[in-house]
Amino acid sequence: PTGLRHHFRFDNSANLELATVGNNLVRGNLPGVTPAFAAVAGPIAGNGAVEIGTGSLYRLNMDFDPNGPVGATRVNRFSLVIDFYLPTTGVWYAFHASDNDGNPTHSDWDSFVRPAGTVGLFRTGYSQYAVPAMQWHRLVISADLGTSYKYYIDGQLAQDGGPDSVDRRLSLPSLNGANQLMLFGDDDGDDAPIRIAELGVYDRAL
């Protein structure tokens, strides 16, 4: 689809950073943590996945120009499409960091699954629907900051986070700044391992 800039399927167990479109991922970890990335089964035969351990994360150089209203300095229009699996219940999971500018410990991250299974962030609110663990789901975070910020789960609108603010916390760093999106980690190593079968990063709101 139009606007797809980076895409990953995690089918190559020997290279779990390989992109099918765009830049490869780069492994990262919190200080003092041994990186943990393991090839696991995906949702169907031939569709592999990766399990990212606690304290580990991926980094992606997005190479996005600033977008949004005239004068914006950060990335305000984007979408993340994530096929994910929660191995257990009653714990926190994290999907991405937006305003950390490449520093995983700068602040808490910016999209979560709470122990109750609901998806979102305090700033935007959490979905009423709780995603069941031990099943594959598709999350779409669709952002057009200043206008809308929405979460879709398995094709249904799960939470309308409102317009939020241009160039603020929910915007992503642009090519003119840190240029780095961090994924599937957290700031203090208390979020659980998560499994990811597919990731798409778009430069527009889907």
Side-chain angles (χ1 to χ4, degrees):
T2 303
L4 178 62
R5 299 282 296 275
H6 305 282
H7 182 243
F8 308 88
R9 288 186 58 88
F10 308 103
D11 292 340
N12 185 343
S13 61
N15 188 346
L16 295 171
E17 293 75 54
L18 184 66
T20 61
V21 175
N23 296 334
N24 289 343
L25 295 167
V26 176
R27 296 186 185 196
N29 55 279
L30 297 178
V33 175
T34 301
F37 299 83
V40 294
I44 60 173
N47 182 190
V50 59
E51 182 172 280
I52 301 104
T54 299
S56 299
L57 58 109
Y58 276 129
R59 299 176 183 271
L60 173 64
N61 291 326
M62 294 195 306
D63 297 342
F64 283 18
D65 291 321
N67 65 22
V70 174
T73 61
R74 290 171 59 87
V75 177
N76 295 279
R77 293 177 183 150
F78 63 91
S79 296
L80 306 178
V81 179
I82 302 167
D83 288 358
F84 70 96
Y85 179 99
L86 310 177
T88 190
T89 60
V91 295
W92 285 88
Y93 297 91
F95 291 111
H96 86 290
S98 53
D99 72 341
N100 292 42
D101 288 341
N103 179 359
T105 63
H106 170 70
S107 63
D108 209 357
W109 285 36
D110 299 294
S111 56
F112 301 95
V113 181
R114 291 195 292 188
T118 53
V119 175
L121 178 70
F122 178 80
R123 186 184 185 99
T124 61
Y126 285 84
S127 64
Q128 293 187 10
Y129 171 71
V131 293
M134 294 172 281
Q135 297 179 23
W136 284 98
H137 304 281
R138 172 162 290 180
L139 168 68
V140 178
I141 299 174
S142 178
D144 184 359
L145 293 173
T147 302
S148 64
Y149 193 94
K150 297 178 179 180
Y151 302 86
Y152 296 86
I153 300 173
D154 299 335
Q156 301 295 318
L157 179 62
Q159 176 65 19
D160 186 343
D164 208 76
S165 302
V166 171
D167 285 344
R168 298 295 296 275
R169 174 179 176 179
L170 297 179
S171 65
L172 304 180
S174 73
L175 185 60
N176 299 339
N179 191 35
Q180 193 169 97
L181 175 65
M182 294 185 298
L183 297 150
F184 315 126
D186 67 298
D187 66 321
D188 54 9
D190 64 353
D191 289 19
I194 191 169
R195 297 179 185 179
I196 305 296
E198 192 163 353
L199 166 67
V201 182
Y202 293 76
D203 62 7
R204 67 180 182 94
L206 295 175

